[in-house]
Amino acid sequence: AKLIEQTRNRFPDKLRDPEIRETIARASAEVEYRRAERLAVRARYRERQSAYGAARIYYEDLLAHYGKTPFADTARDRLAKIEDYPAQTPSRLAWLTKVFPEGQRAKPLVTTEQSSILR
C-alpha cells in the first residue's frame, strides 16, 4: 500500500498511461482485498474462541475501512448473529476463586519443634 501511494505521488505523469493506471488500480484493489481478508480471518478466530467483543471490533473495523469488499457482507451477517452474545465469556476457572478466595499469601505454619529450633 505504501509503495502504491509513493508511485502515485512520485510519478503522476506515468499515470496518464491507461495500462500503468490499470496496473496500479489493480494492485491497490488487491491490497485492500487482502487487508479485509486478514480482518475477516481474525474476526472469525475470535468468534470461534467465544470472544464476541473482540470479534465485533474486527467486524466493525472491516465494515468501516473495507465496506466495498466481499467480506463486508459476511461481516454484516455475523454482526447480526453475535449481537446478543456477551462481550466476554465467563471464566472457566471461576470455581478456583471460591476454593481460594484470598489473593494474599498465607503465613506458613510453624510447629512447636521448629519454633524451638529457631530460637
Side-chain angles (χ1 to χ4, degrees), residues 61-78:
D61 193 28
L62 194 150
L63 289 173
H65 294 100
Y66 308 105
K68 296 178 183 177
T69 61
F71 298 104
D73 295 331
T74 306
R76 283 185 199 95
D77 293 341
R78 297 306 309 155

Side-chain angles (χ1 to χ4, degrees), residues 45-116:
Y45 173 77
R46 295 295 181 194
E47 195 174 343
R48 282 194 306 269
Q49 298 295 317
S50 300
Y52 300 110
R56 278 189 210 106
I57 290 171
Y58 282 120
Y59 284 135
E60 289 168 357
D61 193 28
L62 194 150
L63 289 173
H65 294 100
Y66 308 105
K68 296 178 183 177
T69 61
F71 298 104
D73 295 331
T74 306
R76 283 185 199 95
D77 293 341
R78 297 306 309 155
L79 270 174
K81 289 185 180 179
I82 66 172
E83 180 181 351
D84 296 330
Y85 293 146
Q88 293 182 342
T89 57
S91 176
R92 294 179 183 159
L93 301 176
W95 60 273
L96 276 176
T97 58
K98 292 179 184 175
V99 175
F100 303 105
E102 294 180 14
Q104 300 172 353
R105 285 184 97 169
K107 293 181 181 178
L109 298 175
V110 179
T111 63
T112 54
E113 293 176 280
Q114 290 176 342
S115 64
S116 64

Side-chain angles (χ1 to χ4, degrees), residues 17-36:
D17 182 15
E19 184 178 328
I20 294 174
R21 188 178 334 124
E22 178 65 30
T23 303
I24 297 291
R26 200 172 324 123
S28 179
E30 184 174 349
V31 166
E32 186 174 311
Y33 179 85
R34 296 295 178 198
R35 285 183 172 177

